[in-house]
Amino acid sequence: MNPQYQYDIFVIGGGSGGLTVVDEAQKLGKRVGLADYIKPSPHGTQWGTGGTCPNVGCIPKKLMHMTALIGEIRHELTATGWQGVDPHSKHDWNTLVNEVQRQVKGINKANDDWLVTTNGITYYNKLGKLKDDHTIELIDKDGQSEFVTAEYIVIAVGSRPSFPTDIPNVKLLTITSDDLFSLKKAPGKTLVVGASYVALECAGFLTGLGYDVTVMVRSILLRGFDQEMAERIGEFMKIQGTKFIRGTIPTSIEDVDGKRLVKWVLNGQEQSDIFDTVLLAIGRSADTQNLGLEQVGVQTNKESGKIIANDADSTSVSNIFAIGDCVQGRLELTPTAIMCGKRLIKRLYCNGNQIMEYSDVSTTVFTPLEYGCVGYSEDAAIKKFGKENLKIFTSEFTPLFWNFANRKGTCYAKLIVKKEDDIIIGFHYLGPDAAEVTQGFGVVIKLKAKKNDLDNVVGIHPSVAEEIVQMQTWK
Ligand code: FAD
Ligand code: NA7
């Protein structure tokens, strides 16, 4: 402990990464300070403690996705003998939003109680700003400032939705994921702009809840993911009723009697339609403006605003660290921010030497047909190793219950194997319970298992995962 400073460690941003740092440092008896402050969305939406994941990210998204999946089953109940179920019954948006928000507030309360009652943590519901390399200015909602000092400073301020710069009033004419999960009025006919992760997940559950949904895709679906899998996700979403307009972006958005008139150009022709809601999901920008980074000498990428940190999470100022979504080149996921925070504290205080590894991280896209993957995409593997050096095993299958209940569509799995040493370097699964299936295969990939190891595994029958240990057909 250095008595020169008020805190051993001070964290700016109390999301997945920041709260982990606070927790781990507090358990080691350190004097910990935390500033967490939520800047409202352009529509004034605000939320409680915990950061993006529990408030406007993973948790409310998964609850809405699960609700849409439950709705799908109502079409199958009659086919399987359940009586008195109306397959055309309508969904009530307000009930869902109230329940989702009840869950979110439960998480906020647990966080608040922990922050306020735990010895060694001082929590400031204030905006943090660097003054010098050991001093942080804390600004409250009325603009009043106080200053604190710390030996180490960790920046974990996350990211916020991006907006296009060339459409007048776009921030007020559209909503983002920051607003969707607490939206007071049902979204109605919705245009989702963007074609990645957040866009397709939101479009998928909104279609499942019964809304008329169109996705506007600038170029490809799910940039960075295996493109064969991405196209299959799109095809499945189409079967479910989501519409796609590909190869364009909005050129203007106007208010017409409370609705949104959106115009775009396709094949040289101007087209337009009227929507109740326009949901923008065109990426996220690091929340680093007005953090005083430049003044203190913390380097950032001027274009994205992301902080530049090395493998040990150090910024260009040696006692200032940065973790999570606000850092350049990191995977924008809750578990990576958490593990990164844990390892940072181990290195700072417990002689740890492990850095966060961002390769072979399992992830799942919660589209109506869920997609789990870990390791190389086919496209990236071909680029790195050459097509002739790979075996790509695939399997297209229909889950037992889907056949039974006449559900449309098929599932798909893919393994990418290096010919040279038989090591599996990519796993891709499109089907039910993708997150549960993929987590286990994440261990397989991390342990550098060979295809032959998988061939020696006896499958669980009847299951969808048995398809993966039985794959014998390669492209
Ligand atoms: P955050 O959780 O964003 O926390 C940053 C905190 O800092 C916020 O509370 C912010 O208000 C605060 N802050 C910002 N500036 C200041 C300041 N100057 N002073 C004080 N406080 C400040 N990840 C998954 O793993 N699985 C998923 O299924 C998943 N789904 C997602 C769905 C959506 C719609 C979105 C948007 C994200 C999703 N993510 C998912 C990503 C995940 O939420 C983030 O990667 C994760 O929350 C990042 O954590 P973080 O600690 O870096 O930042
Ligand atoms: P991503 O992964 O950054 O993807 C952004 C998407 O938006 C992508 O499809 C882009 O198309 C598209 N995009 C970008 N700019 C525009 C404009 N101006 N107009 C229309 N479409 C555009 O963002 P997400 O929000 O899905 O996810 C960010 C992270 O949050 C993610 O990692 C999750 O962990 C949570 P492109 O392919 O570039 O043509």
Side-chain angles (χ1 to χ4, degrees):
M1 277 189 197
N2 188 337
Q4 193 184 339
Y5 304 112
Q6 209 170 331
Y7 293 104
D8 296 313
I9 189 160
F10 195 96
V11 181
I12 307 179
S16 310
L19 287 182
T20 305
V21 169
V22 169
D23 187 28
E24 296 293 314
Q26 170 277 132
K27 283 195 260 184
L28 295 170
K30 302 294 167 193
R31 297 166 301 162
V32 190
L34 168 72
D36 187 53
Y37 187 87
I38 290 91
K39 289 164 245 167
S41 80
H43 292 280
T45 313
Q46 259 186 312
W47 47 90
T49 47
T52 301
C53 169
N55 290 289
V56 288
C58 330
I59 300 292
K61 178 277 300 286
K62 181 95 187 255
L63 291 174
M64 291 203 171
H65 165 68
M66 296 305 294
T67 304
L69 291 188
I70 291 169
E72 243 172 62
I73 295 172
R74 77 192 192 283
H75 300 293
E76 291 155 3
L77 287 170
T78 316
T80 54
W82 289 97
Q83 308 216 333
V85 181
D86 177 3
H88 305 294
S89 58
K90 294 255 182 305
H91 178 265
D92 179 49
W93 175 260
N94 288 329
T95 306
L96 174 61
V97 166
N98 290 340
E99 279 309 296
V100 165
Q101 289 306 314
R102 200 169 58 80
Q103 287 289 326
V104 169
K105 295 216 161 48
I107 300 172
N108 295 151
K109 173 149 187 349
N111 277 324
D112 293 349
D113 291 349
W114 172 70
L115 287 171
V116 172
T117 59
T118 308
N119 275 341
I121 304 176
T122 310
Y123 164 54
Y124 300 86
N125 183 206
K126 297 182 180 189
L127 208 56
K129 186 174 178 180
L130 297 173
K131 253 349 211 189
D132 63 43
D133 49 357
H134 289 283
T135 309
I136 304 120
E137 180 179 8
L138 300 170
I139 308 155
D140 72 12
K141 59 179 182 356
D142 303 319
Q144 301 295 318
S145 282
E146 65 176 301
F147 294 87
V148 292
T149 59
E151 182 170 18
Y152 295 128
I153 297 171
V154 179
I155 305 170
V157 293
S159 62
R160 295 294 289 266
S162 309
F163 292 90
T165 49
D166 52 354
I167 298 181
N169 285 330
V170 71
K171 289 189 178 178
L172 290 177
L173 293 170
T174 61
I175 62 164
T176 67
S177 53
D178 280 357
D179 306 297
L180 180 65
F181 306 111
S182 57
L183 203 64
K184 294 272 181 300
K185 199 166 152 247
K189 180 177 168 184
T190 302
L191 177 70
V192 178
V193 183
S196 189
Y197 211 136
V198 173
L200 296 191
E201 289 181 338
C202 293
F205 71 67
L206 289 175
T207 303
L209 296 176
Y211 301 104
D212 176 341
V213 180
T214 304
V215 182
M216 188 170 276
V217 182
R218 178 166 74 174
S219 56
I220 57 171
L221 302 182
L222 288 176
R223 182 176 297 285
F225 289 89
D226 187 287
Q227 281 304 295
E228 185 188 18
M229 307 306 274
E231 283 305 317
R232 282 176 176 266
I233 290 172
E235 287 310 311
F236 192 86
M237 287 178 72
K238 274 194 216 160
I239 295 176
Q240 290 224 316
T242 307
K243 288 170 264 183
F244 287 85
I245 303 172
R246 298 190 65 156
T248 189
I249 56 172
T251 47
S252 71
I253 306 174
E254 289 164 47
D255 181 297
V256 177
D257 302 329
K259 295 188 185 271
R260 303 290 175 252
L261 170 65
V262 182
K263 293 185 182 156
W264 62 92
V265 176
L266 197 60
N267 303 324
Q269 300 277 311
E270 182 170 87
Q271 303 189 2
S272 67
D273 199 354
I274 290 192
F275 299 89
D276 296 305
T277 301
V278 179
L279 173 69
L280 279 186
I282 61 165
R284 296 173 64 83
S285 314
D287 198 6
T288 53
Q289 301 77 22
N290 310 318
L291 253 182
L293 297 174
E294 235 169 68
Q295 188 179 321
V296 175
V298 173
Q299 275 177 11
T300 57
N301 176 321
K302 295 276 170 294
E303 234 169 76
S304 66
K306 294 217 172 190
I307 296 171
I308 296 167
N310 65 15
D311 288 349
D313 309 310
S314 254
T315 67
S316 44
V317 178
S318 63
N319 70 307
I320 301 180
F321 301 86
I323 63 170
D325 283 10
C326 64
V327 184
Q328 176 161 290
R330 305 298 192 238
L331 289 175
E332 293 175 17
L333 295 169
T334 277
T336 51
I338 290 175
M339 192 181 272
C340 184
K342 283 190 177 168
R343 292 193 170 179
L344 172 62
I345 291 300
K346 285 230 163 69
R347 290 195 307 273
L348 285 179
Y349 296 122
C350 310
N351 297 320
N353 58 11
Q354 271 187 305
I355 54 159
M356 179 65 204
E357 286 172 25
Y358 292 94
S359 59
D360 295 341
V361 171
S362 316
T363 190
T364 292
V365 180
F366 292 98
T367 33
L369 187 57
E370 296 174 357
Y371 168 42
C373 61
V374 49
Y376 282 87
S377 66
E378 183 175 341
D379 325 72
I382 289 174
K383 204 166 164 203
K384 168 114 189 185
F385 300 101
K387 200 172 182 169
E388 64 287 2
N389 298 316
L390 298 168
K391 279 188 185 181
I392 317 268
F393 292 85
T394 61
S395 170
E396 184 152 16
F397 55 96
T398 312
L400 175 69
F401 185 75
W402 287 26
N403 265 330
F404 185 57
N406 298 323
R407 192 183 286 198
K408 288 189 198 135
T410 51
C411 300
Y412 192 70
K414 184 193 288 193
L415 288 176
I416 301 164
V417 177
K418 276 198 284 155
K419 275 187 189 165
E420 182 193 19
D421 49 18
D422 198 37
I423 290 178
I424 308 165
I425 55 166
F427 165 88
H428 302 268
Y429 166 85
L430 202 51
D433 301 318
E436 318 304 332
V437 173
T438 305
Q439 188 72 83
F441 280 95
V443 181
V444 171
I445 302 280
K446 204 79 192 161
L447 291 177
K448 304 208 178 311
K450 297 187 172 180
K451 175 68 173 72
N452 188 48
D453 296 320
L454 222 54
D455 293 340
N456 286 324
V457 172
V458 177
I460 300 171
H461 183 71
S463 72
V464 283
E466 70 179 323
E467 297 292 336
I468 299 154
V469 295
Q470 289 169 354
M471 275 197 233
Q472 291 308 330
T473 319
W474 49 295
K475 283 186 180 177

